[in-house]
């Protein structure tokens, strides 16, 4: 994955944010900066057609593109990010819609990527199909654009997309899921972008990844979750960094992550605290137990089928 940094993030790096630099600057790591594998089996196990990942019975993840406004160096999908290969043409969109229509157990579609707000035309086309599928009750948009380039939220194509989403209100509920990892990422411009999104009436939730030397400190995460909570964003998930080849430098010690989340649980409102999750190769997301009960071994967990997964 190449380095790609927006002027907004560049300014933050210039202003001295080590947390932003570590996330976006290409680092010279021996054997690093390659990410050939598919750690969650998205393509190999769960993709019935291009772009669609159907892993949980009632929910699909739809990768609308592999492109983003900036490239996060720890991205689970590093092997794909930046490539035009993930772009969807009309036939791909029609095939995705057809798949969803023929699986009425699906009520929830997560538009992901890449960044869906980076390809507003594709997403608009997907939406106009989804609104005619009666089983669909929820559409979520997972984005990092408000962090990468907050001013883009006010650009005409994104505004048109948000309006189109609003117009789908009778067909399904929309949630916006922003990916944010450090309090440095939330400044005046980002706050403004979030307020713009909220003004359309969409609930906003956040997702965070535990990243070594970026946010693996109690005070940093407390600051982040409080900032989000104050802004009307509900912290949803904090993920353990996926084991992507070449990106091991970002993976924190699981014991330390658990210590931090346990400490935060003791002093923060449940509303401001995300679920702490490990996404395993097996069947899906698994909550990591906090340190209130005796847990014999953090080296493995069991997936949804009871199969032991080594962490
Ligand atoms: C995370 C994820 C979802 C959504 O899971 P929720 O717990 O409902 O947020 C759906 N599909 C895939 C493939 C995922 O990775
Ligand atoms: S915004 Fe998301 S998909 Fe894009 S590079 Fe960052 S983590 Fe990956």
């Amino acid at each position: 994955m190449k380095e790609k940094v927006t002027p907004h993030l560049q300014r933050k790096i210039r202003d001295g944010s080590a947390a932003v630099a570590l996330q976006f600057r290409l680092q010279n790591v021996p054997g690093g900066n390659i990410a050939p594998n598919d750690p969650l089996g998205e393509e190999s196990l769960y993709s019935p057609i291009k772009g669609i990942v159907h892993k949980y019975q009632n929910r699909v993840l739809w990768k609308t593109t592999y492109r983003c406004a900036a490239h996060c160096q720890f991205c689970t999908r590093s092997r794909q990010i930046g490539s035009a290969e993930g772009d969807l043409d009309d036939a791909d969109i029609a095939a995705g819609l057809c798949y969803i229509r023929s699986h009425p157990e699906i009520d929830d579609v997560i538009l992901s990527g890449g960044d869906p707000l980076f390809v507003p035309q594709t997403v608009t086309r997907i939406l106009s199909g989804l609104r005619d599928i009666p089983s669909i009750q929820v559409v979520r948009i997972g984005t990092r654009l408000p962090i990468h380039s907050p001013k883009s939220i006010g650009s005409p194509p994104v505004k048109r997309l948000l309006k189109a989403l609003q117009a789908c209100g009778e067909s399904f509920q929309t949630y916006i899921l922003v990916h944010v990892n450090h309090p440095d990422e939330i400044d005046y411009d980002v706050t403004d972008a979030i307020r713009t999104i909220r003004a359309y009436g969409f609930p906003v939730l956040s997702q965070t990844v535990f990243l070594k030397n970026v946010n693996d400190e109690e005070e940093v995460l407390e600051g982040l979750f409080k900032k989000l909570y104050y802004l009307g964003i509900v912290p949803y998930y904090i993920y353990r960094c996926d084991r992507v080849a070449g990106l091991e430098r970002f993976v924190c010690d699981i014991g330390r992550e658990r210590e931090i989340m346990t400490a935060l649980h003791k002093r923060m409102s449940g509303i401001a605290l995300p679920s702490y999750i490990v996404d395993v190769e097996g069947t899906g997301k698994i909550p990591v137990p906090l340190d209130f009960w005796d847990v014999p071994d953090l080296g493995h967990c069991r997936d949804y089928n009871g199969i032991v997964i080594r962490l």
Side-chain angles (χ1 to χ4, degrees):
M1 190 171 65
K2 287 205 183 104
E3 181 179 284
K4 186 178 177 194
V5 188
T6 57
H8 173 80
L9 293 170
Q10 243 156 18
R11 225 172 299 125
K12 292 195 159 299
I13 294 170
R14 227 181 301 124
D15 291 348
S17 175
V20 173
L22 271 169
Q23 290 182 75
F24 293 98
R25 283 285 182 233
L26 200 59
Q27 293 153 62
N28 247 331
V29 189
N33 303 324
I34 42 146
N37 62 341
D38 177 14
L40 305 177
E42 286 183 343
E43 264 78 46
S44 45
L45 301 174
Y46 300 107
S47 186
I49 41 169
K50 182 177 174 183
I52 299 259
V53 184
H54 193 183
K55 189 165 174 180
Y56 304 103
Q57 205 220 6
N58 70 318
R59 289 156 282 166
V60 288
L61 189 109
W62 196 340
K63 294 193 268 189
T64 55
T65 176
Y66 292 155
R67 294 180 291 134
C68 298
H71 293 169
C72 313
Q73 292 300 319
F74 54 85
C75 181
T76 299
R77 304 188 184 121
S78 295
R79 69 192 182 284
Q80 299 162 326
I81 295 303
S83 137
E85 268 168 48
D87 289 347
L88 304 177
D89 61 24
D90 286 345
D92 298 324
I93 293 172
L97 289 167
C98 180
Y99 180 83
I100 292 170
R101 194 186 294 277
S102 64
H103 288 80
E105 70 275 19
I106 297 170
D107 61 7
D108 188 348
V109 178
I110 299 129
L111 301 183
S112 175
D115 197 323
L117 293 191
F118 196 63
V119 289
Q121 285 89 349
T122 303
V123 174
T124 305
R125 266 179 250 147
I126 289 176
L127 291 176
S128 64
L130 287 178
R131 66 186 301 177
D132 295 331
I133 303 181
S135 66
I136 300 306
Q137 302 294 328
V138 168
V139 171
R140 304 184 233 171
I141 311 263
T143 180
R144 198 148 153 73
L145 191 64
I147 306 298
H148 287 162
S149 175
K151 291 255 168 24
S152 303
I153 298 301
S155 71
V158 175
K159 268 170 51 186
R160 272 197 297 277
L161 172 59
L162 293 171
K163 265 214 146 86
L165 266 171
Q166 202 177 35
C168 294
E170 307 246 306
S171 306
F172 51 74
Q173 173 66 43
T174 294
Y175 290 83
I176 306 291
L177 286 163
V178 287
H179 172 174
V180 46
N181 298 324
H182 191 281
D184 283 2
E185 292 165 39
I186 307 170
D187 58 15
Y188 178 82
D189 290 335
V190 174
T191 300
D192 203 44
I194 297 296
R195 294 211 168 111
T196 303
I197 293 173
R198 280 170 44 77
Y200 284 87
F202 309 129
V204 183
L205 287 78
S206 66
Q207 313 195 82
T208 298
V209 183
F210 253 117
L211 296 170
K212 198 163 156 176
N213 300 325
V214 173
N215 61 10
D216 57 339
E217 295 287 343
E218 237 171 274
E219 297 68 34
V220 171
L221 285 180
E222 181 175 9
L224 172 66
F225 300 146
K226 284 201 164 157
K227 247 178 160 174
L228 294 167
Y229 182 37
Y230 298 163
L231 248 179
I233 302 176
V234 181
Y236 177 40
Y237 278 145
I238 180 161
Y239 296 100
R240 188 164 160 66
C241 188
D242 292 323
R243 297 264 203 139
V244 177
L247 303 183
E248 293 82 0
R249 66 185 180 280
F250 286 113
V251 180
C252 310
D253 177 66
I254 190 165
R256 175 162 177 74
E257 292 180 353
R258 191 162 160 264
E259 242 170 61
I260 294 171
M261 293 311 290
T262 303
L264 293 183
H265 188 89
K266 290 178 189 168
R267 52 173 203 256
M268 289 180 71
S269 163
I271 305 176
L273 271 179
S275 297
Y276 168 35
I277 291 289
V278 52
D279 207 346
V280 297
E281 240 172 278
T283 36
K285 297 181 174 72
I286 296 189
V288 182
L290 298 187
D291 194 13
F292 294 102
W293 302 82
D294 287 333
V295 176
D297 178 7
L298 288 172
H300 73 267
C301 62
R302 285 182 191 279
D303 75 3
Y304 294 7
N305 298 321
I307 295 173
V308 173
I309 306 278
R310 292 254 136 233
L311 293 178

